[in-house]
Amino acid sequence: NAGVTQTPKFQVLKTGQSMTLQCAQDMNHEYMSWYRQDPGMGLRLIHYSVGAGITDQGEVPNGYNVSRSTTEDFPLRLLSAAPSQTSVYFCASSPPVGDEQYFGPGTRLTVT
Amino acid sequence: DAKTTQPNSMESNEEEPVHLPCNHSTISGTDYIHWYRQLPSQGPEYVIHGLTSNVNNRMASLAIAEDRKSSTLILHRATLRDAAVYYCILSRLGGQNFVFGPGTRLSVLP
C-alpha cells in the first residue's frame, strides 16, 4: 500500500491564482480530511468527508472547496489564493470504525 | 471539544525513559485520548490511544489517571529518532475530527 499520497510537494502561487491540491489513499478508508499547519502551530481542520459524495466544513473552511466523487480521492481547491493561505497542508484518512488516522507527507504552499 | 494542556517543550537523554504529561480536566465520559507525534518535515503519525485503562503498544505506553483528567505518554527508552512534537488529542466516541494544540516539543540529547 502507498498509504496517503499528496501532490505536489511544493507549490508557489501568486495572489488570486487558483489551484488544486491532490490527495489519494489506497486503503479503502471512508473518512478523509484536510488540515493546514502554520509555522509553530498545531494542525487545523479545513474540510472533511465521511464517504463518497459527503463533505462538511471544519474549523477553517473559508477560501477552500472540496469534493469527494470516489473513495480514493479527496482534492482541495483554493479558489483565489491569498498570502494568508501560505501554509503546509496535510491530508489524512481513517477507516469508518477505529481511531488511527493516517497522514500524508504534506504540501508546502507559498502565496506571494 | 474538550481542550488539552501540554508543556511547550521537554528534554530527555538518549536511552532514558520519557514521561510526557497531558491535562484534560474537561474530558467527557465518551472522549478517547489520542497521542500523535510529528517528526520534522513529516505528517503526524499515530502513537497510541485509550479510553480508561492503561495501554501498551510497541511504540509507547499510555497511563490514564483514575479520574481521566490527565494522562501520560511514556517512551520507555528515548532514541534520537523520538525527537518530535507530541500531540495529546481528545475525540468523541467514533469521532475523527481532531483538534490539535501546539503539542510538546521533545528534544533527545545524545
Side-chain angles (χ1 to χ4, degrees), chain A residues 31 35 37 42 48 94-95 101, chain B residues 36 38 43 87 96-98 101:
Chain A
Y31 178 86
Y35 292 86
Q37 183 173 35
Y48 65 97
S94 66
Q101 288 204 36
Chain B
Y36 280 72
Q38 188 174 20
Y87 298 101
Q96 288 147 315
N97 292 347
F98 288 169

Side-chain angles (χ1 to χ4, degrees), chain A residues 2-61:
Chain A
V4 179
T5 58
Q6 293 183 236
T7 56
K9 283 190 167 50
F10 302 93
Q11 182 70 48
V12 179
L13 290 178
K14 292 190 187 325
T15 297
Q17 287 184 316
S18 62
M19 81 158 295
T20 299
L21 308 186
Q22 302 291 346
C23 174
Q25 51 91 12
D26 61 359
M27 297 172 281
N28 203 33
H29 287 166
E30 293 292 326
Y31 178 86
M32 296 185 74
S33 57
W34 277 100
Y35 292 86
R36 61 175 286 175
Q37 183 173 35
D38 299 329
M41 299 183 65
L43 283 70
R44 292 184 292 170
L45 183 66
I46 304 171
H47 283 285
Y48 65 97
S49 168
V50 298
I54 306 169
T55 63
D56 207 344
Q57 297 181 349
E59 182 187 354
V60 288

Side-chain angles (χ1 to χ4, degrees), chain B:
Chain B
D1 290 310
K3 282 194 66 172
T4 63
T5 305
Q6 300 176 251
N8 289 337
S9 62
M10 291 184 65
E11 258 185 18
S12 172
N13 292 320
E14 199 176 7
E15 298 189 6
E16 290 187 356
V18 183
H19 291 233
L20 296 164
C22 181
N23 286 324
H24 28 78
S25 58
T26 60
I27 191 170
S28 75
T30 55
D31 282 340
Y32 278 80
I33 302 161
H34 304 259
W35 283 84
Y36 280 72
R37 72 179 186 181
Q38 188 174 20
L39 278 64
S41 301
Q42 295 189 26
E45 66 174 349
Y46 170 83
V47 177
I48 201 166
H49 78 280
L51 184 62
T52 56
S53 305
N54 294 345
V55 184
N56 300 298
N57 67 20
R58 64 175 178 79
M59 286 182 72
S61 296
L62 176 60
I64 301 172
E66 199 168 330
D67 63 6
R68 299 209 326 126
K69 293 185 186 299
S70 66
S71 61
T72 302
L73 178 70
I74 302 164
L75 307 179
H76 296 287
R77 283 180 77 235
T79 69
L80 297 178
R81 276 204 73 251
D82 291 322
V85 178
Y86 286 78
Y87 298 101
C88 170
I89 303 162
L90 303 182
S91 77
R92 292 287 153 86
L93 177 63
Q96 288 147 315
N97 292 347
F98 288 169
V99 176
F100 284 80
T104 296
R105 182 174 298 278
L106 175 67
S107 302
V108 180
L109 307 176

Side-chain angles (χ1 to χ4, degrees), chain A residues 83-104:
Chain A
S84 60
Q85 293 178 303
T86 293
S87 191
V88 181
Y89 291 83
F90 291 101
C91 178
S93 75
S94 66
V97 176
D99 296 321
E100 180 174 352
Q101 288 204 36
Y102 297 81
F103 285 82

